[in-house]
Amino acid sequence: MSKPNAGVSNENTLGRLFKKNKTIIGLITTVLALLFISPYIYIVLTSIKPSSDAISPSPTFFPRELSLENYVAMFNQMPIAKYFFNSFITASISTILAVFLGALAAYGLSRFSSKTGNIFLLLTLCVRMVPMISIAIPMYIIINGMGLIDTRVALIITYTAINVPFAIWLMIGFFNNIPKEFDEAARIDGCNIFTAFIKVILPVSLPGLATAAIFCFMLAWNDFLFALLLTSTNAKTATVGISEFLTAYNLDLGPMTAAAVSFSLPVMVFSILVQRYIVSGMTLGAVKE
């Protein structure tokens, strides 16, 4: 009679230990998360301080008074709205091109696999592993030879070239998981390969397309290296514009933090809203054994 009671007691003990450990893990995670986001919180709070408090020799974490002075100064000191528009246009168009071209290549590699295709797939992975700084000068020479320096087209071409290998590797897992019977049914209905891809395969792989688009957009939106190297005035992006608040003679910390918040906050909110779609998309794209 004592054995069942001992078993129940052990289960209760394990349950209490699990709940206690779960609480401890939750507290540790919360503390680490607060430490991680505290610099960003400080930037947000600094952006709503008066400019004199932002550069005070004895700064405070919380503002003594709230002010939108830095946001007004941000627009008055430089054409930041134009820089944001350049970032949005180049990131959006390059994302569309990279995802479409990457999906086409991934579909071909998935449906018509061969030794040459496998070598190409391996090469795309190698290209994506190359540090961006090592291809910056060759990209500059190519873009300069095309006469596209300081144009949005230069950034669109660059971001597309960088993101296509990533889109290929992300999308090929989705296409491998789509049964080939879908293609065969579309061919029976009179579709050619391209039409079947557009009308049948792409709608089925929307989670993968969305996931690839989100990551490609983020990579292009946050780029600083190529935007600095390939632009000067007309096509300058927000990342480069924000850096210009810091000069050799002055630091406009207030407007700089306001621009940083304006640049990052929409993307952060968007990432939080689509987080579950990213997770589900990555899960659906997992390769099945």
Side-chain angles (χ1 to χ4, degrees):
M1 296 298 292
S2 61
K3 290 184 179 180
N5 292 332
V8 172
S9 177
N10 291 334
E11 289 180 3
N12 292 335
T13 303
L14 290 174
R16 285 194 297 270
L17 288 173
F18 177 77
K19 290 180 179 179
K20 185 182 293 186
N21 291 335
K22 187 176 181 180
T23 303
I24 294 173
I25 292 172
L27 289 174
I28 294 174
T29 304
T30 302
V31 171
L32 292 176
L34 290 175
L35 290 174
F36 182 78
I37 65 174
S38 58
Y40 185 75
I41 294 175
Y42 181 75
I43 291 175
V44 174
L45 295 176
T46 302
S47 70
I48 56 177
K49 294 178 182 178
S51 57
S52 57
D53 289 348
I55 58 174
S56 173
S58 56
T60 59
F61 190 83
F62 295 99
R64 297 185 180 93
E65 59 177 304
L66 300 181
S67 174
L68 297 178
E69 176 184 342
N70 294 321
Y71 289 88
V72 176
M74 171 184 71
F75 289 101
N76 291 336
Q77 292 184 19
M78 65 175 59
I80 196 71
K82 176 184 176 181
Y83 300 158
F84 273 87
F85 180 73
N86 289 337
S87 292
F88 178 76
I89 290 296
T90 54
S92 299
I93 296 178
S94 65
T95 296
I96 294 172
L97 292 175
V99 172
F100 182 71
L101 295 175
L104 278 175
Y107 177 71
L109 292 169
S110 174
R111 291 299 188 264
F112 310 103
S113 58
S114 62
K115 290 184 178 179
T116 305
N118 293 333
I119 294 173
F120 173 78
L121 190 61
L122 182 61
L123 289 176
T124 60
L125 178 62
C126 295
V127 169
R128 194 64 187 87
M129 293 172 63
V130 173
M132 293 297 101
I133 190 65
S134 64
I135 64 172
I137 300 303
M139 286 298 299
Y140 177 84
I141 295 173
I142 294 172
I143 295 298
N144 187 47
M146 298 170 65
L148 296 176
I149 292 295
D150 198 23
T151 63
R152 297 188 190 121
V153 176
L155 293 179
I156 291 171
I157 292 174
T158 302
Y159 296 154
T160 302
I162 293 172
N163 282 327
V164 163
F166 175 79
I168 291 174
W169 270 93
L170 189 61
M171 290 301 302
I172 195 169
F174 289 93
F175 294 137
N176 286 337
N177 290 334
I178 297 176
K180 293 184 178 181
E181 286 76 8
F182 282 52
D183 307 69
E184 296 171 358
R187 296 293 297 275
I188 292 174
D189 290 338
C191 296
N192 56 34
I193 296 176
F194 184 75
T195 307
F197 171 74
I198 296 296
K199 293 185 176 181
V200 178
I201 303 302
L202 284 186
V204 176
S205 60
L206 279 180
L209 292 173
T211 305
I214 291 167
F215 280 107
C216 289
F217 183 86
M218 295 297 181
L219 289 171
W221 177 264
N222 293 322
D223 172 70
F224 176 80
L225 174 62
F226 292 102
L228 178 66
L229 189 65
L230 301 178
T231 67
S232 57
T233 304
N234 297 324
K236 187 181 296 182
T237 62
T239 51
V240 179
I242 292 173
S243 69
E244 292 182 350
F245 284 107
L246 172 62
T247 64
Y249 307 101
N250 189 28
L251 170 60
D252 292 326
L253 186 60
M256 188 178 192
T257 56
V261 172
S262 301
F263 178 78
S264 60
L265 190 59
V267 179
M268 292 178 63
V269 173
F270 176 71
S271 300
I272 293 172
L273 292 176
V274 301
Q275 181 181 10
R276 63 191 184 95
Y277 297 103
I278 296 176
V279 174
S280 63
M282 296 295 288
T283 304
L284 288 173
V287 179
K288 295 181 180 179
E289 296 293 342

